[in-house]
Amino acid sequence: MIRTRFSPSPTGLLHLGNVRTALFSALFAAHHQGHFVLRIEDTDAARSEEKYSHQLQHDLQWLGLAWQEGPDVGGPHAPYYQSERHAIYDKYYRKLEEQGLAYPCFCTDQELALNRKLQLARGRPPRYPGTCRQLSAEDIAERIAAGKKPALRFHVPVKKSIEFVDLVKGTQRFNSDDIGDFIIRRAEGTASFMFCNAIDDALMGITHVLRGDDHLANTPRQLMILQALNLHVPQYGHLALITGEDGSSLSKRHGSFSLHDLRERGFLHLAVLNYLARLGHACEEQCLLHFPELAAHFHIEKLSRSSARFDQNQLLHWQKEAVMALDATALWKWLGDDIKQMIPASLTDLFVQVIRPNIYFPIEAKNWVNILFSDKLSFDEEQMVILKEAGEPFFVALKNAMAQHGTDLQCILAELKTTLNVSGKKLFMPVRVALTAQQHGPELAHIVTLIGQERMQQRFEDALQVVRKNAC
């Protein structure tokens, strides 16, 4: 059975890069009727916070991802919080030490920094020089008796080629001599990411690991750990990172890209789901799809090796598709009850019909409520220019036409066209601005129906007074 996982650290809100990794892992498992596992990697006690652990689970559930094993679900490989798995890691530390494949390291941060500086100055890649590798049992005991707390390093074999076939990037080769002995347990006793991540993947039977290509250099290290312990080795696939529209790594300076923030801004989960499913993955279906349909069309061989560029317009495209797909109940829930209460009950259905194609977010619907049902409009500088260019005769003729034709906008515009010899934008735009103080929006005929005859008449009168006032 295919088994994938997502293993976030609860040190902050989930950003889109991590969310896409989770989504691709869940889609791949679902495509093969496999299991998707959620594991919380909270061994870094100084940075991990319980609130983020709860938040990331809430965010993933909002997106529509369900894990078959993990927190609040359980499973045969519990616990799913790494902070509760230290006894498991200790068992494998002892195995490596017994085999002579791990050793205590007493080097301080200052000593390591100095070594790195010297190696760089000599034009060499910085790696651990093996200072503590040859310490005798007596040397180790003496240092521990003196109160020194050692880290534990994995003894990397010399002149060994580490090869694997990456699910995205193809064949990868590394030389062990370029890696150097690395820490698998910190001096304070907690497991390093390198170690516990690999051990848990093996023990939880993870068959396929999808993660960002910033982890590519970790893979040979983890392969050596698993092979030394004779543990199951998953297949790895490293996803090209997401960049901003300027081509640089996606960061806060490009905007707010946590899943939590997108939800708070009013993005629908189906919009984010459909956008991310195509960000670096070629999906042949271009219509709005739900998770099971996206899983059916997910193919790991269609993952791009090139970085995926974030495109705000594409995200908004899927947002519009998702808004149009909402049923009436879901739409009102998304818009909020306060908006519904601001609209005359007899006009709610028409309001939804008219406004839905013109909004991306609830705040825009609220703006339209204020525009359509308030008593007074305010015009910005650009709209004032439009009204003044139309001039007093235009609005006098508009009022006269309305007195004759009521709210029959088609007849009103036809009369204006004849009497004033205007057409196109010069005919429609002043009317739109006078009625809505907007230059774009729903069809004028629908607007007229929503605002009603009395408000329509008042708005034409207000526009006339604005023109007269500014003509003085």
Side-chain angles (χ1 to χ4, degrees):
M1 175 189 287
I2 297 292
R3 289 173 58 82
T4 66
R5 55 78 168 167
F6 178 53
S7 54
S9 297
T11 57
L13 297 173
L14 281 178
H15 62 76
L16 288 191
N18 278 338
V19 175
R20 186 187 62 159
T21 298
L23 174 59
F24 284 178
S25 298
L27 289 173
F28 182 63
H31 182 90
H32 294 280
Q33 293 79 52
H35 277 189
F36 173 55
V37 179
L38 177 65
R39 183 175 72 233
I40 308 298
E41 301 203 335
D42 58 344
T43 56
D44 188 345
R47 297 177 61 228
S48 297
E49 295 188 42
E50 187 176 359
K51 67 177 182 179
Y52 289 126
S53 174
H54 293 311
Q55 185 65 58
L56 70 87
Q57 291 177 63
H58 178 67
D59 288 342
L60 292 174
Q61 289 167 342
W62 171 80
L63 189 62
L65 303 192
W67 44 97
Q68 286 70 53
E69 294 178 31
D72 299 332
V73 175
H77 304 289
Y80 294 93
Y81 287 89
Q82 285 188 336
S83 58
E84 300 173 10
R85 298 175 63 83
H86 288 301
I88 296 171
Y89 308 140
D90 289 342
K91 170 186 172 183
Y92 289 100
Y93 288 136
R94 288 193 294 272
K95 282 190 175 185
L96 290 175
E97 289 182 285
E98 289 166 3
Q99 297 175 53
L101 295 176
Y103 60 90
C105 173
F106 297 89
C107 296
T108 66
D109 289 342
Q110 293 81 2
E111 290 169 336
L112 294 172
L114 179 59
N115 272 318
R116 284 194 294 269
K117 186 176 180 179
L118 290 173
Q119 290 176 40
L120 289 169
R122 294 167 182 167
R124 299 175 183 173
R127 63 177 63 92
Y128 182 66
T131 307
C132 295
R133 191 185 302 151
Q134 303 304 323
L135 290 177
S136 65
E138 291 77 13
D139 292 332
I140 294 170
E142 181 181 325
R143 284 166 170 75
I144 292 176
K148 294 184 177 180
K149 294 183 178 180
L152 190 67
R153 285 188 183 270
F154 183 80
H155 189 167
V156 175
V158 298
K159 300 187 183 306
K160 180 177 181 180
S161 177
I162 304 112
E163 297 186 9
F164 68 97
V165 178
D166 191 280
L167 295 167
V168 179
K169 297 177 176 296
T171 301
Q172 303 292 307
R173 295 181 180 86
F174 296 84
N175 188 332
S176 64
D177 291 349
D178 295 330
I179 295 174
D181 298 349
F182 53 89
I183 291 175
I184 55 176
R185 186 180 63 207
R186 304 180 187 96
E188 79 274 11
T190 59
S192 72
F193 160 83
M194 202 78 64
F195 187 79
C196 57
N197 179 269
I199 296 297
D200 287 343
D201 283 344
L203 298 183
M204 292 181 179
I206 303 303
T207 61
H208 295 76
V209 172
L210 295 179
R211 57 188 182 184
D213 64 7
D214 52 333
H215 285 291
L216 183 59
N218 294 330
T219 304
R221 294 166 169 81
Q222 294 183 313
L223 288 174
M224 286 189 286
I225 291 171
L226 295 177
Q227 290 164 359
L229 292 168
N230 197 29
L231 291 174
H232 161 77
V233 176
Q235 290 182 265
Y236 293 92
H238 293 87
L239 307 171
L241 300 183
I242 302 174
T243 66
E245 293 178 342
D246 59 1
S248 62
S249 297
L250 195 65
S251 64
K252 287 184 178 180
R253 67 188 178 86
H254 293 105
S256 182
F257 291 110
S258 75
L259 195 60
H260 172 77
D261 289 341
L262 289 179
R263 187 178 75 249
E264 289 296 303
R265 287 166 57 190
F267 277 98
L268 293 162
H269 86 276
L270 205 56
V272 180
L273 193 69
N274 274 264
Y275 176 64
L276 289 180
R278 295 168 171 87
L279 192 59
H281 173 255
C283 179
E284 63 271 20
E285 289 293 329
Q286 292 307 308
C287 57
L288 192 74
L289 302 175
H290 291 268
F291 182 89
E293 299 162 323
L294 287 169
H297 292 288
F298 184 84
H299 303 285
I300 205 162
E301 62 272 15
K302 292 187 177 181
L303 291 172
S304 174
R305 296 187 181 189
S306 303
S307 59
R309 185 165 295 191
F310 179 82
D311 186 335
Q312 179 82 17
N313 290 330
Q314 274 297 303
L315 178 56
L316 289 175
H317 162 77
W318 290 111
Q319 175 73 354
K320 178 54 67 70
E321 292 291 313
V323 170
M324 296 302 292
L326 287 173
D327 62 34
T329 302
L331 181 71
W332 282 118
K333 183 178 180 181
W334 175 64
L335 291 179
D337 289 337
D338 58 330
I339 292 180
K340 190 173 185 178
Q341 292 168 4
M342 297 166 67
I343 305 168
S346 61
L347 296 175
T348 53
D349 290 344
L350 178 61
F351 177 82
V352 167
Q353 175 190 336
V354 170
I355 296 304
R356 187 197 293 259
N358 292 275
I359 62 170
Y360 291 92
F361 304 105
I363 186 63
E364 294 168 317
K366 191 168 186 177
N367 289 340
W368 275 107
V369 170
N370 291 328
I371 288 167
L372 294 172
F373 303 112
S374 64
D375 292 329
K376 283 285 185 181
L377 298 177
S378 58
F379 306 104
D380 63 25
E381 187 176 335
E382 190 173 352
Q383 292 155 6
M384 287 293 295
V385 170
I386 292 171
L387 296 180
K388 286 191 288 184
E389 286 182 349
E392 181 176 340
F394 182 93
F395 290 102
V396 170
L398 188 56
K399 285 185 61 182
N400 293 336
M402 186 178 175
Q404 182 177 349
H405 301 291
T407 58
D408 189 335
L409 190 64
Q410 188 173 356
C411 290
I412 292 172
L413 294 176
E415 184 167 326
L416 285 180
K417 186 175 183 180
T418 302
T419 58
L420 298 177
N421 193 29
V422 292
S423 60
K425 282 186 72 173
K426 290 188 176 182
L427 173 62
F428 292 100
M429 190 58 72
V431 175
R432 177 176 291 280
V433 170
L435 290 177
T436 66
Q438 301 291 314
Q439 289 150 260
H440 306 282
E443 291 182 23
L444 285 172
H446 293 320
I447 288 173
V448 166
T449 303
L450 285 168
I451 66 176
Q453 183 170 353
E454 184 178 343
R455 186 170 280 123
M456 178 181 175
Q457 189 172 6
Q458 183 60 53
R459 290 189 177 181
F460 287 153
E461 176 62 31
D462 291 343
L464 175 59
Q465 295 306 319
V466 166
V467 171
R468 285 174 173 169
K469 182 179 179 181
N470 283 271
C472 299

